[in-house]
Structure formats: C-alpha cells, structure tokens
Amino acid sequence: MPHIEIESHLPGITGLLEYRKDSAAPIRELTQILLRGPSSLTEGERELIASIVCYGNECRFCTTAHTAAANLLLGETTTTASVLNDINTAPVSEKMKALLHIASLVQKSGKQVTEEAVQTAKNAGATDLEIHDTVLIAALFCLYNRYVDGLNAFTPGDPEYYKTLADRIVHHGYTRLPGGYDHLKNNPVQ
Amino acid sequence: MAHIKVPEAVPGIRSLVMYRPETGKHLYQLAHVLLRDDSPLSSAERELIAAYVSHRNNCMFCMSSHAAAARCLYGDESAIVDDVLTDMQRSGISEKLKALLVVAGKVQISGKSVTAQDMEEVKRLGATDREIHDTVLIAAAFCMFNRYVDGLATLTPTDPEAYKEMGKRMVEKGYALPDANGK
C-alpha cells in the first residue's frame, strides 16, 4: 500500500503525478523533451538509458515500464535484456556502450563520472549534447525511481498493464492525457 | 573543467541551464514549485531538506547554495542550518522536521529504504500526507540535481562569499532562468 493516499486506479508514477499536478507538469515536460524531443539519439536508445538506470536503482515499476517501451520502439526484446545483463557484450554501438556506461555511473553518483568515461564516449563519436542528455536522463530517473519507491507506489504484477503503459508512452508520450485518467477507473489493475 | 562545453565562469546548474535552456526552464520551474510555491512546509524548511540531501550526496555546489538560501530564510535563526548539517538529531528543529529529514535521508540512499516504520513515526509526529509527499519529492529531485551538476563536472566556487550572494538571490528572485551573462 502506498505511504500516502493515492487514487487506487492509478498505479506507479501516474498516481503520484496526479496527486500533485503543479509539480508533475515540469517533470512531465522535461521527460517529454529528453525522451521524445529532437535528438541524435533514437527514442529506443533513450529508453535504454532510462531502463539501465531504473534497473540499477532496482525500481521494479519503472524498470518494467521502460524496458517495455524500449522493446516496443526497438521492435525486439534481445537488446534491452542484453544491455541490462552486460553493457559490454550487448548488441549496441560502441558509442551507446560508452553512454550507457556513463548513465550507470550517474545512477551511483554524479561524482563517479570520470574524465576517462567521458573521453571514451567522445572518442566513440558522442557529441557534447548526447553526453549532456545522457547524464540528465540518468539523473531524472534517479528522481523517478526514488519518488515511486520512496512513497511505495502500487506496482502491478500483471504484464498486460505494462504493455498498455508502454503503448501509451510510445504513442502518446509523457505529457498528461488531455482528458485525465478517469477512464481507468473501470479497469482495475492487478 | 566541465565535461562538456558550457559557458565559462558560470557556476553549477546555471551553466547547464544556459547550455540547454529547453530542459533548463523545466528544471528551474520544478525547483520553484517545490521550494517556493504553496506547501504546508515553509520555504526555509524546504531549502533545508534540499541542503541536507545535497550534503549527503557530497554535492558541494548544491549544498552550499541551498544552505545559503536556507540561512537567509531562517534569518535570526540561521545557525539551525549548520546545526542540522553537522548533527541533525541534536539540532534544535522540531521532532516532526527531524522525522521528515530521516525520510529525506533514506530517499537519498534509495526509495526502497523508506520503511513503514519511518512512515508511522513521521505521521505520529503530525506530518500530513502532503508534507510527506513534498519531502520525498524534494529529496528525489535533489538526487537528480546533484547528479546533473556533478555528473557534468560543473564549476564549483570555493569562496563562501559567492554562495552568500547566490543564496540571497535565490530568496529574492526565486528560480528564474539566468540572463546571457549567467546572472
């Protein structure tokens, strides 16, 4: 049960973002720009960065949601699973390996990001903006994971829930649904 | 030197929001909503939570600037800020605020470290759902800000006077995007 009173039809982050909408607005907008805005990293690559941070923070709700989104965007499930298992042997470019490595350092602490880790990314062709966005995406998910688990938000066990959620964050994005979430009241989540 | 080409001589997060204002404006908006807009916790208390979490993350820039803002807001009682950063449990703040800072400190480690017992304790001392929510979100937000600032190795002034001025500006102007000169 969540630590505070959250509407029961809204699991995970959705219930928290609906609990306080004025703080939710900039969080949603920031996420939308970073993960869906114009970028030289694909949306799939950016969801991989989110996934590895959520996985490192052991946030089950966020990890399941963002790996589902990454899988949907990549059109297969092997890459995401390999990245979470071992960045070095995953079927991604050298540049992505270096960026994922930076993200996993940020997950531990900003201070862990070394000159060497950044240089490796630059040598593999990463631009300043790609490095910037990688660090900010990783930092943002350190916020999300703590928000969700720190308030013990409800984490559904039903895989179908995450399929629907992934579909929404891939096809609609991270902004609030125009009509809100009342329609979910008729579909209790397990 | 910062890991990427940000404006020179501009410290901390300000150099980053100038580098990418599209993301910067939402980061500042979030800081403003959480630390200045309506909340059952005072701005001084919320800046204290921000400084406490930044201190635990060893983020010198965020700790120094938010401690300076908190000292400014506490006015005559500004010594409270340093007492909390030195030994929170022995400081003169209320038992409720101590329990909220315990929760913030747990969030700093991981969201999963917040226990049902922590919640029982904080509620027993009179904290409302909204106070708990705001504490957790401020702590989580500073786990983001600290990683952003240190992860890109931004400029961290060492002169305490620089932070005094920053703290004053954060109290007077709130979290407004810097101009072209970083001011």
Side-chain angles (χ1 to χ4, degrees):
Chain A
M1 213 178 72
H3 292 319
I4 59 173
E5 243 174 73
I6 301 290
E7 289 186 275
S8 59
H9 66 291
L10 300 174
I13 189 67
T14 313
L16 301 178
L17 294 174
E18 287 296 287
Y19 179 83
R20 190 172 171 197
K21 295 190 189 71
D22 61 341
S23 49
I27 298 174
R28 284 183 176 282
E29 292 296 334
L30 181 62
T31 314
Q32 181 67 14
I33 289 185
L34 284 171
L35 295 183
R36 297 290 177 271
S39 168
S40 46
L41 298 172
T42 66
E43 293 179 18
E45 286 171 331
R46 288 177 273 167
E47 289 288 352
L48 282 177
I49 295 169
S51 298
I52 202 164
V53 172
C54 299
Y55 184 72
N57 281 325
E58 298 178 18
C59 182
R60 197 156 63 86
F61 178 86
C62 298
T63 307
T64 315
H66 292 280
T67 51
N71 288 341
L72 188 56
L73 285 159
L74 298 171
E76 40 92 5
T77 59
T78 318
T79 305
T80 311
S82 311
V83 161
L84 298 190
N85 182 49
D86 181 0
I87 298 169
N88 294 316
T89 56
V92 294
S93 67
E94 289 305 308
K95 183 180 85 177
M96 267 311 287
K97 283 181 188 171
L99 292 175
L100 287 164
H101 179 56
I102 290 175
S104 59
L105 294 173
V106 170
Q107 182 261 316
K108 296 182 188 91
S109 159
K111 291 188 140 37
Q112 296 259 336
V113 181
T114 57
E115 203 69 65
E116 194 195 348
V118 173
Q119 200 51 55
T120 304
K122 288 181 181 174
N123 291 345
T127 63
D128 275 16
L129 188 55
E130 287 172 339
I131 293 168
H132 169 277
D133 284 7
T134 297
V135 170
L136 187 49
I137 291 169
L140 173 61
F141 279 87
C142 287
L143 176 155
Y144 273 126
N145 301 158
R146 283 168 170 79
Y147 193 19
V148 166
D149 281 339
L151 288 168
N152 201 29
F154 175 53
T155 301
D158 181 3
E160 281 304 310
Y161 171 80
Y162 297 95
K163 274 191 194 158
T164 310
L165 182 58
D167 189 72
R168 192 203 308 158
I169 59 185
V170 167
H171 297 112
H172 167 78
Y174 289 97
T175 52
R176 188 171 188 268
L177 289 180
Y181 299 85
D182 282 352
H183 64 288
L184 299 176
K185 280 183 180 162
N186 304 322
N187 301 311
V189 185
Q190 299 303 311
Chain B
M1 219 176 70
H3 289 319
I4 58 171
K5 281 200 184 65
V6 295
E8 275 176 47
V10 180
I13 187 136
R14 297 179 84 75
S15 67
L16 298 176
V17 304
M18 288 172 74
Y19 175 80
R20 185 127 150 75
E22 302 91 332
T23 45
K25 68 176 179 191
H26 300 301
L27 288 165
Y28 270 41
Q29 177 64 22
L30 179 63
H32 195 87
V33 169
L34 289 179
L35 302 175
R36 293 291 177 275
D37 280 355
D38 281 350
S39 168
L41 299 169
S42 70
S43 281
E45 289 168 331
R46 287 177 280 161
E47 288 283 0
L48 189 60
I49 296 168
Y52 183 71
V53 170
S54 303
H55 177 64
R56 292 175 58 96
N57 277 324
N58 270 320
C59 182
M60 187 55 74
F61 177 82
C62 298
M63 186 279 283
S64 306
S65 53
H66 291 281
R71 280 187 208 104
C72 215
L73 288 160
Y74 270 107
D76 291 345
E77 296 173 354
S78 66
I80 279 178
V81 178
D82 297 274
D83 291 347
V84 164
L85 296 179
T86 308
D87 185 349
M88 189 270 284
Q89 288 296 353
R90 295 182 63 180
S91 71
I93 56 172
S94 71
E95 292 304 308
K96 183 179 87 177
L97 189 52
K98 281 183 191 171
L100 287 170
L101 284 169
V102 166
V103 170
K106 295 261 182 108
V107 170
Q108 182 265 325
I109 300 165
S110 157
K112 295 177 115 59
S113 13
V114 180
T115 63
Q117 288 90 314
D118 295 326
M119 282 299 138
E120 252 171 57
E121 177 66 1
V122 77
K123 287 179 185 175
R124 186 182 66 81
L125 292 164
T128 62
D129 273 15
R130 180 57 195 275
E131 287 172 329
I132 294 167
H133 169 274
D134 288 5
T135 299
V136 169
L137 184 51
I138 291 168
F142 278 84
C143 287
M144 169 181 71
F145 287 125
N146 298 163
R147 281 168 170 78
Y148 187 35
V149 164
D150 280 342
L152 289 166
T154 59
L155 176 67
T156 300
T158 49
D159 178 8
E161 282 303 309
Y163 292 103
K164 216 172 165 181
E165 197 186 307
M166 247 181 259
K168 207 172 148 226
R169 185 184 57 211
M170 286 151 76
V171 169
E172 285 169 1
K173 295 193 176 169
Y175 294 90
L177 280 182
D179 63 22
N181 300 316
K183 296 294 176 193

